[in-house]
Structure formats: structure tokens, C-alpha cells
Amino acid sequence: KHHLYGFLSVKKKFSSGHWLKLVTKKIKEIIKKNKIPIIVGGTGLYFKILLEGVSKIPKISSIKRNKVLKLYEKIGPDLFYNKLLKLDPKVFNYVNLNDKQRMIRSYEIKYYTKKSILDWHKESTNALVNFNFVKIFLNLEKTKLHLRIEKRFQSMIKNGAINEVKKFLKDRKSTRLNS
């Protein structure tokens, strides 16, 4: 049985912290049934917070977050990046110029909490330290992997992926307009 997959609308706000709470509860439920939970897929971020926890950064209001976003849009990525590095030099090796989301997040955290995002990360909590995880990494030969990706991609197109993306973009756009 699959859990926490395809369960949330793109219209809902969701964070890795929310996911950690849900997955922790789900893991405990599965173990109570004398079963072994298997965590697969997703991004490295989710595996990282599952093993290391999440940073307890104070909530920053959407009004403040929008001010930082507007500043980014007004001055552009190059100037914003320079401004970020002046505000928080610690993030030099953590944030790169092409990572808009991480730049904005790092800036807002330092600006409004007076503390670097890296310092908050050092204080991560809520890791599932009472569990023994076995990590398995599958490493397929590149040529075979690319053939499988191409086959899977063609199957997705054939089964309606383009319409699914159009719907996602439409839903996402309407969510942004309403927030």
C-alpha cells in the first residue's frame, strides 16, 4: 500500500515540515501493525529531513515574504544575490545565483530573524532518531537508465501527462491569484 502519495492538491500550501509530521505519524502506524515502512522516491530534501530533522525557523508572515520577493523582482537576481551576500556572507557556498527560491528564503530569514539560515539549520530538530534506517541507493547504468526514462516519458505522454500539466498550471495560477 502507498501512503502520502498524490494526496494533496497543488492549491494547498505544504512544507517539508508538514510532510515530516505526516510521515512520522505514518511510520509509527505502520510499525504498530508489525510491518516495515519503506520510504521511496521524492527529493533528497525529504530523505534529509527524515534523517536529520527540520530547522525551527520562526514563521515569517506572507506580507514580509512578499516584500522580499518584490525586492528580488525589482532588482533582479544578480543584484539581489550581492545584497544577500552582504546581509549574510555565510550563505556564499550554500546559495547560488540560479537558485531563486533559496536566495529569497535565505534573505528573508536573515533579514527578519537576524540569524543566518545556516545557523538555524545547525539547530535542526524532530529527526526520527529512534528509528534505524537502512539506506539503499539504486544505481543503474546510465545508458539503460536513459532508455527507461525515455520509455517512461513516452508512456506518460500517451497517458495524458500534457493535460495533467496544463491543469496543474491552471490550478497553480488560480491559487496564486486568490492568495
Side-chain angles (χ1 to χ4, degrees), residues 82-142:
N82 290 334
K83 201 169 179 58
L84 168 62
L85 293 180
K86 283 181 186 167
L87 179 66
D88 187 2
K90 288 183 180 181
V91 299
F92 178 74
N93 289 319
Y94 173 75
V95 178
N96 75 53
L97 181 60
N98 298 318
D99 193 340
K100 175 184 175 181
Q101 187 169 339
R102 190 172 275 183
M103 271 198 293
I104 290 171
R105 185 70 174 140
S106 298
Y107 187 94
E108 72 190 26
I109 288 169
K110 177 66 177 183
Y111 189 82
Y112 291 112
T113 71
K114 308 298 182 220
K115 190 171 171 180
S116 175
I117 191 170
L118 297 175
D119 293 331
W120 286 107
H121 286 331
K122 286 178 188 172
E123 299 171 15
S124 293
T125 55
N126 294 339
L128 299 178
V129 292
N130 296 329
F131 295 103
N132 292 319
F133 289 98
V134 175
K135 300 175 218 167
I136 301 171
F137 175 72
L138 303 177
N139 191 13
L140 194 59
E141 181 190 320
K142 230 178 194 173

Coordinates of all heavy atoms in Angstrom, one line a residue, residues 82-142:
N82 N 24.0 39.7 -4.6 CA 25.0 40.5 -4.0 C 24.5 41.1 -2.7 O 25.2 41.2 -1.7 CB 25.5 41.7 -4.9 CG 26.3 41.1 -6.1 OD1 26.9 40.1 -6.0 ND2 26.3 41.9 -7.2
K83 N 23.3 41.6 -2.7 CA 22.6 42.1 -1.5 C 22.5 41.0 -0.4 O 22.8 41.3 0.8 CB 21.2 42.6 -1.8 CG 20.7 43.6 -0.9 CD 19.4 44.3 -1.6 CE 18.7 45.3 -0.7 NZ 19.5 46.4 -0.3
L84 N 22.2 39.8 -0.8 CA 22.1 38.7 0.1 C 23.5 38.4 0.7 O 23.6 38.2 2.0 CB 21.6 37.4 -0.6 CG 21.7 36.1 0.2 CD1 20.9 36.1 1.4 CD2 21.3 34.9 -0.7
L85 N 24.5 38.4 -0.1 CA 25.8 38.1 0.4 C 26.3 39.1 1.4 O 27.1 38.9 2.3 CB 26.8 37.8 -0.7 CG 26.6 36.6 -1.5 CD1 27.6 36.4 -2.6 CD2 26.5 35.3 -0.7
K86 N 25.9 40.4 1.2 CA 26.3 41.5 2.1 C 25.6 41.3 3.4 O 26.1 41.5 4.5 CB 26.0 42.8 1.5 CG 27.0 43.3 0.5 CD 26.6 44.7 -0.1 CE 27.6 45.0 -1.2 NZ 27.1 46.2 -2.0
L87 N 24.3 40.9 3.3 CA 23.5 40.7 4.5 C 23.9 39.4 5.3 O 24.0 39.4 6.5 CB 22.0 40.5 4.1 CG 21.0 40.3 5.2 CD1 20.9 41.5 6.1 CD2 19.6 39.9 4.6
D88 N 24.2 38.4 4.5 CA 24.6 37.1 5.2 C 25.7 36.4 4.4 O 25.5 35.5 3.6 CB 23.4 36.2 5.3 CG 23.6 34.9 6.0 OD1 24.8 34.7 6.6 OD2 22.7 34.1 6.2
P89 N 27.0 36.8 4.6 CA 28.1 36.2 3.9 C 28.2 34.7 4.1 O 28.8 34.0 3.3 CB 29.3 36.9 4.5 CG 28.8 38.0 5.3 CD 27.4 37.8 5.6
K90 N 27.7 34.1 5.2 CA 27.8 32.7 5.5 C 27.2 31.8 4.4 O 27.6 30.7 4.2 CB 27.1 32.4 6.8 CG 27.8 32.8 8.0 CD 27.0 32.3 9.2 CE 27.7 32.8 10.5 NZ 27.0 32.3 11.7
V91 N 26.2 32.4 3.6 CA 25.5 31.6 2.6 C 26.2 31.5 1.3 O 25.7 30.9 0.4 CB 24.0 32.1 2.4 CG1 23.3 32.0 3.7 CG2 24.0 33.4 1.8
F92 N 27.4 32.0 1.2 CA 28.1 32.0 -0.1 C 28.2 30.6 -0.7 O 28.0 30.5 -1.9 CB 29.5 32.6 0.1 CG 30.4 32.6 -1.2 CD1 30.1 33.5 -2.2 CD2 31.4 31.7 -1.3 CE1 30.8 33.5 -3.3 CE2 32.1 31.7 -2.5 CZ 31.8 32.6 -3.5
N93 N 28.6 29.6 0.0 CA 28.7 28.3 -0.5 C 27.4 27.5 -0.4 O 27.3 26.3 -0.9 CB 29.8 27.5 0.2 CG 31.1 28.0 -0.2 OD1 31.4 28.3 -1.4 ND2 32.0 28.1 0.8
Y94 N 26.3 28.1 0.1 CA 25.0 27.4 0.3 C 24.1 27.8 -0.8 O 23.3 27.0 -1.2 CB 24.5 27.8 1.7 CG 23.1 27.3 2.0 CD1 22.8 25.9 2.2 CD2 22.0 28.2 1.9 CE1 21.5 25.5 2.5 CE2 20.7 27.7 2.2 CZ 20.5 26.4 2.5 OH 19.2 26.0 2.7
V95 N 24.1 29.0 -1.2 CA 23.1 29.5 -2.2 C 23.9 29.9 -3.5 O 24.9 30.6 -3.4 CB 22.4 30.8 -1.6 CG1 21.4 31.4 -2.7 CG2 21.7 30.5 -0.4
N96 N 23.4 29.6 -4.6 CA 24.0 30.1 -5.8 C 23.0 31.0 -6.6 O 21.8 31.0 -6.3 CB 24.5 28.9 -6.7 CG 23.4 28.2 -7.4 OD1 22.6 28.7 -8.1 ND2 23.4 26.8 -7.3
L97 N 23.5 31.7 -7.5 CA 22.8 32.7 -8.2 C 21.6 32.2 -9.0 O 20.6 32.9 -9.2 CB 23.8 33.4 -9.2 CG 23.2 34.6 -10.0 CD1 22.7 35.7 -9.1 CD2 24.3 35.1 -10.9
N98 N 21.6 30.9 -9.3 CA 20.5 30.4 -10.1 C 19.4 29.8 -9.3 O 18.4 29.2 -9.8 CB 21.0 29.3 -11.1 CG 22.0 29.9 -12.0 OD1 21.8 30.9 -12.6 ND2 23.1 29.2 -12.3
D99 N 19.5 29.8 -8.0 CA 18.5 29.2 -7.1 C 17.7 30.3 -6.4 O 17.9 30.7 -5.3 CB 19.2 28.4 -6.0 CG 18.3 27.5 -5.2 OD1 17.1 27.8 -5.2 OD2 18.8 26.5 -4.6
K100 N 16.7 30.8 -7.2 CA 15.9 31.9 -6.7 C 15.2 31.7 -5.4 O 15.2 32.5 -4.5 CB 14.8 32.2 -7.8 CG 13.8 33.2 -7.4 CD 12.7 33.4 -8.5 CE 11.6 34.3 -8.1 NZ 10.6 34.5 -9.1
Q101 N 14.6 30.5 -5.3 CA 13.9 30.2 -4.0 C 14.8 30.2 -2.8 O 14.4 30.8 -1.8 CB 13.2 28.8 -4.2 CG 12.2 28.5 -3.0 CD 11.4 27.3 -3.3 OE1 11.2 26.9 -4.4 NE2 10.9 26.7 -2.2
R102 N 15.9 29.6 -2.9 CA 16.8 29.5 -1.8 C 17.4 30.9 -1.5 O 17.6 31.2 -0.3 CB 18.0 28.5 -2.1 CG 18.8 28.2 -0.8 CD 19.8 27.1 -1.1 NE 19.1 25.8 -0.9 CZ 19.7 24.7 -0.9 NH1 21.0 24.6 -1.2 NH2 19.0 23.6 -0.7
M103 N 17.7 31.7 -2.5 CA 18.2 33.1 -2.3 C 17.1 33.9 -1.5 O 17.5 34.5 -0.5 CB 18.4 33.8 -3.6 CG 19.8 33.6 -4.2 SD 20.2 34.9 -5.5 CE 19.0 34.5 -6.8
I104 N 15.9 33.8 -2.0 CA 14.8 34.6 -1.3 C 14.6 34.1 0.1 O 14.5 34.9 1.1 CB 13.5 34.5 -2.1 CG1 13.7 35.3 -3.4 CG2 12.3 35.0 -1.3 CD1 12.6 35.1 -4.4
R105 N 14.6 32.8 0.3 CA 14.4 32.2 1.7 C 15.5 32.6 2.6 O 15.3 33.0 3.7 CB 14.2 30.7 1.6 CG 13.9 30.1 2.9 CD 12.5 30.4 3.3 NE 12.2 29.6 4.5 CZ 11.5 30.1 5.5 NH1 11.0 31.3 5.5 NH2 11.3 29.4 6.6
S106 N 16.7 32.5 2.1 CA 17.9 32.9 2.9 C 17.9 34.4 3.3 O 18.2 34.7 4.5 CB 19.2 32.6 2.2 OG 19.3 31.2 1.9
Y107 N 17.5 35.2 2.4 CA 17.4 36.6 2.6 C 16.4 37.0 3.7 O 16.6 37.7 4.6 CB 17.2 37.4 1.3 CG 17.3 38.9 1.5 CD1 18.4 39.5 1.2 CD2 16.2 39.6 1.9 CE1 18.6 40.9 1.3 CE2 16.3 41.0 2.1 CZ 17.5 41.7 1.7 OH 17.6 43.0 1.9
E108 N 15.2 36.4 3.5 CA 14.1 36.8 4.4 C 14.4 36.3 5.8 O 14.1 36.9 6.8 CB 12.8 36.2 3.9 CG 12.6 34.8 4.0 CD 11.3 34.2 3.3 OE1 10.9 34.8 2.3 OE2 10.9 33.2 3.7
I109 N 15.0 35.1 5.9 CA 15.3 34.6 7.2 C 16.3 35.5 7.9 O 16.2 35.8 9.1 CB 15.8 33.1 7.1 CG1 14.6 32.2 6.8 CG2 16.5 32.7 8.4 CD1 15.0 30.8 6.4
K110 N 17.4 35.8 7.3 CA 18.4 36.6 7.9 C 17.9 38.0 8.2 O 18.1 38.6 9.3 CB 19.7 36.7 7.0 CG 20.8 37.6 7.5 CD 21.4 37.1 8.7 CE 22.6 38.0 9.1 NZ 23.3 37.5 10.3
Y111 N 17.1 38.6 7.2 CA 16.6 39.9 7.4 C 15.7 40.1 8.6 O 15.7 41.0 9.4 CB 16.0 40.4 6.1 CG 15.6 41.9 6.1 CD1 16.5 42.8 5.8 CD2 14.3 42.3 6.4 CE1 16.2 44.2 5.8 CE2 14.0 43.6 6.4 CZ 14.9 44.6 6.1 OH 14.6 45.9 6.1
Y112 N 14.8 39.1 8.7 CA 13.7 39.2 9.7 C 14.1 38.5 11.1 O 13.5 38.8 12.1 CB 12.4 38.7 9.2 CG 11.8 39.6 8.1 CD1 11.7 39.2 6.8 CD2 11.4 40.9 8.4 CE1 11.2 40.0 5.8 CE2 10.9 41.7 7.5 CZ 10.8 41.3 6.2 OH 10.4 42.1 5.2
T113 N 15.0 37.5 11.1 CA 15.3 36.9 12.3 C 16.7 37.3 12.8 O 17.1 37.0 14.0 CB 15.4 35.3 12.2 OG1 16.5 34.9 11.4 CG2 14.1 34.8 11.6
K114 N 17.5 38.0 12.0 CA 18.8 38.4 12.3 C 19.8 37.3 12.5 O 20.9 37.4 13.0 CB 18.9 39.3 13.6 CG 17.9 40.5 13.5 CD 18.2 41.4 12.4 CE 17.3 42.6 12.4 NZ 16.8 43.1 11.2
K115 N 19.4 36.1 12.0 CA 20.2 34.9 12.1 C 20.3 34.2 10.8 O 19.2 34.0 10.1 CB 19.5 34.0 13.2 CG 20.3 32.8 13.7 CD 19.5 32.2 14.9 CE 20.0 30.9 15.3 NZ 19.3 30.4 16.5
S116 N 21.4 33.7 10.4 CA 21.6 33.0 9.1 C 20.8 31.7 9.1 O 20.6 31.0 10.1 CB 23.1 32.7 8.9 OG 23.3 31.9 7.7
I117 N 20.3 31.4 7.9 CA 19.6 30.1 7.7 C 20.5 29.0 8.1 O 20.1 28.0 8.6 CB 19.1 30.0 6.2 CG1 18.2 28.8 6.1 CG2 20.3 29.9 5.2 CD1 17.4 28.8 4.8
L118 N 21.8 29.1 7.9 CA 22.8 28.0 8.2 C 22.8 27.8 9.7 O 23.0 26.7 10.2 CB 24.2 28.3 7.6 CG 24.2 28.4 6.1 CD1 25.6 28.8 5.6 CD2 23.8 27.1 5.5
D119 N 22.7 28.9 10.5 CA 22.7 28.8 11.9 C 21.4 28.1 12.4 O 21.4 27.3 13.3 CB 22.8 30.1 12.6 CG 24.2 30.8 12.4 OD1 25.2 30.0 12.2 OD2 24.3 32.0 12.3
W120 N 20.3 28.4 11.7 CA 19.0 27.7 12.0 C 19.2 26.2 11.7 O 18.7 25.4 12.4 CB 17.9 28.3 11.3 CG 17.4 29.7 11.8 CD1 17.6 30.9 11.2 CD2 16.7 29.9 13.0 NE1 17.1 31.9 12.0 CE2 16.5 31.3 13.1 CE3 16.3 29.1 14.0 CZ2 15.9 31.9 14.2 CZ3 15.6 29.7 15.1 CH2 15.4 31.1 15.2
H121 N 19.8 25.9 10.6 CA 20.0 24.5 10.2 C 20.7 23.7 11.2 O 20.5 22.5 11.4 CB 20.6 24.4 8.8 CG 19.7 24.8 7.7 ND1 18.4 24.6 7.7 CD2 20.0 25.3 6.4 CE1 17.9 25.0 6.5 NE2 18.9 25.4 5.8
K122 N 21.7 24.3 11.8 CA 22.5 23.7 12.9 C 21.7 23.2 14.0 O 22.0 22.3 14.8 CB 23.6 24.6 13.4 CG 24.8 24.7 12.4 CD 25.8 25.7 12.9 CE 26.8 26.0 11.8 NZ 27.8 27.1 12.3
E123 N 20.5 23.9 14.2 CA 19.6 23.6 15.3 C 18.5 22.7 14.9 O 17.4 22.8 15.5 CB 19.1 24.9 15.9 CG 20.2 25.8 16.5 CD 19.8 27.2 16.9 OE1 18.5 27.4 17.0 OE2 20.6 28.1 17.0
S124 N 18.6 21.9 13.9 CA 17.6 21.1 13.4 C 17.1 20.1 14.5 O 17.8 19.7 15.3 CB 18.0 20.2 12.2 OG 18.3 21.0 11.1
T125 N 15.7 19.9 14.5 CA 15.1 19.0 15.5 C 14.1 18.2 14.8 O 13.8 18.3 13.6 CB 14.5 19.8 16.6 OG1 13.5 20.8 16.0 CG2 15.5 20.6 17.4
N126 N 13.5 17.3 15.6 CA 12.4 16.4 15.1 C 12.9 15.3 14.2 O 12.1 14.6 13.5 CB 11.3 17.2 14.4 CG 10.6 18.1 15.3 OD1 10.6 17.9 16.6 ND2 9.9 19.0 14.8
A127 N 14.2 15.0 14.1 CA 14.7 13.9 13.4 C 14.1 12.6 14.0 O 14.0 12.5 15.2 CB 16.2 13.8 13.3
L128 N 13.9 11.6 13.2 CA 13.4 10.3 13.8 C 14.6 9.5 14.3 O 15.0 8.5 13.8 CB 12.7 9.6 12.7 CG 11.4 10.3 12.2 CD1 10.8 9.5 11.1 CD2 10.4 10.6 13.3
V129 N 15.2 9.9 15.4 CA 16.4 9.3 15.9 C 16.2 8.0 16.5 O 17.1 7.2 16.7 CB 17.1 10.2 17.0 CG1 17.7 11.5 16.3 CG2 16.1 10.6 18.1
N130 N 15.0 7.6 16.9 CA 14.7 6.3 17.5 C 14.5 5.2 16.5 O 14.2 4.1 16.8 CB 13.5 6.4 18.4 CG 13.7 7.3 19.6 OD1 14.8 7.5 20.0 ND2 12.7 8.0 20.0
F131 N 14.6 5.5 15.2 CA 14.4 4.5 14.2 C 15.8 4.2 13.5 O 16.6 5.0 13.4 CB 13.5 5.1 13.1 CG 12.1 5.3 13.5 CD1 11.6 6.6 13.8 CD2 11.2 4.2 13.7 CE1 10.3 6.8 14.2 CE2 9.9 4.4 14.1 CZ 9.5 5.7 14.4
N132 N 15.9 2.9 13.1 CA 17.1 2.5 12.4 C 16.7 2.4 10.9 O 16.0 1.6 10.5 CB 17.6 1.1 12.9 CG 18.1 1.2 14.3 OD1 18.8 2.1 14.7 ND2 17.8 0.2 15.1
F133 N 17.3 3.3 10.2 CA 17.0 3.4 8.7 C 18.1 2.6 8.0 O 19.3 2.7 8.3 CB 17.0 4.8 8.2 CG 15.8 5.6 8.7 CD1 15.9 6.4 9.8 CD2 14.6 5.4 8.0 CE1 14.8 7.2 10.2 CE2 13.5 6.2 8.4 CZ 13.5 7.0 9.5
V134 N 17.7 1.9 7.0 CA 18.6 1.2 6.1 C 18.5 2.0 4.8 O 17.4 2.0 4.2 CB 18.3 -0.3 5.9 CG1 19.2 -0.9 4.8 CG2 18.4 -1.0 7.2
K135 N 19.6 2.6 4.3 CA 19.5 3.4 3.1 C 20.0 2.5 1.9 O 21.1 1.9 1.9 CB 20.4 4.6 3.2 CG 20.0 5.5 4.3 CD 21.0 6.6 4.4 CE 21.2 7.0 5.9 NZ 22.3 7.8 6.1
I136 N 19.2 2.5 0.8 CA 19.5 1.7 -0.4 C 19.5 2.7 -1.5 O 18.5 3.4 -1.8 CB 18.5 0.6 -0.6 CG1 18.5 -0.4 0.6 CG2 18.8 -0.2 -1.9 CD1 17.5 -1.4 0.6
F137 N 20.5 2.7 -2.3 CA 20.6 3.6 -3.5 C 20.8 2.7 -4.7 O 21.7 1.9 -4.8 CB 21.8 4.5 -3.3 CG 22.1 5.4 -4.5 CD1 21.2 6.4 -4.8 CD2 23.1 5.1 -5.4 CE1 21.5 7.2 -6.0 CE2 23.4 5.9 -6.5 CZ 22.5 6.9 -6.8
L138 N 19.8 2.8 -5.6 CA 19.9 2.0 -6.8 C 20.6 2.8 -7.9 O 20.3 4.0 -8.2 CB 18.5 1.7 -7.3 CG 17.6 0.9 -6.3 CD1 16.2 0.7 -6.9 CD2 18.2 -0.4 -6.0
N139 N 21.6 2.2 -8.5 CA 22.5 3.0 -9.5 C 22.5 2.2 -10.8 O 23.3 1.2 -10.9 CB 23.9 3.2 -8.9 CG 24.7 4.1 -9.7 OD1 24.1 4.8 -10.6 ND2 26.0 4.1 -9.5
L140 N 21.6 2.5 -11.7 CA 21.5 1.8 -12.9 C 22.5 2.4 -13.9 O 22.8 3.6 -13.9 CB 20.1 2.0 -13.5 CG 19.6 1.1 -14.6 CD1 19.7 -0.3 -14.3 CD2 18.2 1.5 -15.0
E141 N 23.0 1.6 -14.8 CA 23.9 2.0 -15.9 C 23.3 3.2 -16.6 O 22.1 3.1 -17.0 CB 24.3 0.9 -16.8 CG 25.2 1.2 -17.9 CD 25.3 0.1 -18.9 OE1 25.3 -1.1 -18.5 OE2 25.3 0.4 -20.1
K142 N 24.0 4.2 -16.9 CA 23.4 5.4 -17.5 C 22.7 5.2 -18.8 O 21.6 5.7 -19.0 CB 24.5 6.5 -17.7 CG 24.2 7.8 -17.2 CD 25.3 8.8 -17.4 CE 25.1 10.0 -16.6 NZ 26.1 10.9 -16.6

